[in-house]
């Protein structure tokens, strides 16, 4: 079953503003006649960072054949075997307050990458919103945060876990 992953308000605001700033960073040197040598160095970095964010950003989730699959925009899906799950916790936005992004995106196309919280520790996030999140613990110590739009129906697809 496929579960959509819609954006929350911060992502809806940050994503278009970031794209606008990126576009302006390409146009500004041509308009202003600024020293282009600096931009020869910065523009490839900007392109690489933007493409990395687009590639890793979560698109939707799927529960099928004993697996949770986290589909991303450009990369192969991340797979979590349901029988490897040792626990699941529904988190509120307040419980995620104070999270620290170690590496990843904190509102540009979602919240993804490595994050840490005092209570939950280090985890890989593949979320698009902070108000409907599911925290997944696996037997091998991995931790994931996801945000399917319909958390109740998503959890119903995981018999024996919740």
């Amino acid at each position: 079953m496929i579960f959509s992953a819609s954006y929350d308000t911060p992502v809806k605001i940050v994503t278009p503003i970031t794209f606008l700033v990126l576009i302006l960073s390409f146009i500004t040197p041509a308009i202003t006649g600024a020293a282009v040598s600096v931009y020869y160095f910065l523009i490839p970095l900007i392109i690489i960072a933007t493409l990395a964010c687009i590639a890793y950003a979560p698109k939707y989730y799927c529960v099928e054949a004993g697996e949770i699959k986290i589909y991303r925009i450009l990369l192969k899906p991340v797979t979590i075997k349901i029988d490897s799950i040792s626990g699941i916790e529904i988190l509120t936005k307040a419980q995620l307050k104070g999270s620290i992004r170690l590496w990843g995106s904190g509102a540009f196309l979602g919240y993804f990458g490595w994050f840490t919280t005092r209570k939950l520790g280090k985890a890989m996030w593949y979320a698009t919103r902070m108000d409907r999140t599911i925290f997944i613990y696996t037997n091998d110590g991995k931790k994931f945060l996801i945000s399917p739009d319909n958390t109740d129906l998503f959890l119903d697809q995981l018999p024996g876990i919740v």
Side-chain angles (χ1 to χ4, degrees):
M1 177 174 254
I2 293 174
F3 295 89
S4 58
S6 63
Y7 293 146
D8 63 7
T9 302
V11 175
K12 287 179 183 176
I13 293 169
V14 169
T15 299
I17 290 173
T18 302
F19 275 122
L20 181 63
V21 168
L22 292 170
I23 291 167
L24 289 175
S25 71
F26 288 106
I27 296 171
T28 302
I31 293 172
T32 62
V36 180
S37 60
V38 173
Y39 291 96
Y40 285 137
F41 174 72
L42 291 178
I43 287 177
L45 291 176
I46 292 169
I47 291 170
I48 290 168
T50 303
L51 288 175
C53 285
I54 292 169
Y56 280 92
K59 189 163 60 169
Y60 61 92
Y61 312 97
C62 189
V63 177
E64 62 184 10
E67 298 177 330
I68 296 171
K69 289 193 176 185
I70 303 163
Y71 285 87
R72 300 177 290 178
I73 293 177
L74 294 179
L75 295 176
K76 292 185 342 184
V78 174
T79 301
I80 305 168
K81 297 211 177 286
I82 293 173
D83 60 4
S84 75
I85 296 173
S86 60
I88 288 185
E89 193 175 343
I90 298 173
L91 300 178
T92 64
K93 193 173 184 177
Q95 290 173 297
L96 295 170
K97 193 171 184 143
S99 298
I100 299 170
R101 180 178 57 235
L102 302 174
W103 184 259
S105 174
F108 176 56
L109 296 169
Y111 310 90
F112 51 92
W114 288 106
F115 287 74
T116 187
T117 64
R118 202 171 269 170
K119 177 187 174 203
L120 303 167
K122 187 176 167 184
M124 188 62 141
W125 288 19
Y126 295 102
T128 56
R129 55 187 319 116
M130 292 288 94
D131 59 343
R132 291 183 217 138
T133 59
I134 298 173
F135 200 76
I136 301 171
Y137 303 87
T138 63
N139 294 326
D140 59 0
K142 293 180 182 174
K143 301 173 190 173
F144 301 91
L145 182 88
I146 61 173
S147 61
D149 287 344
N150 190 335
T151 54
D152 293 333
L153 185 58
F154 184 90
L155 294 173
D156 287 345
Q157 300 299 307
L158 308 175
I161 304 280
V162 183

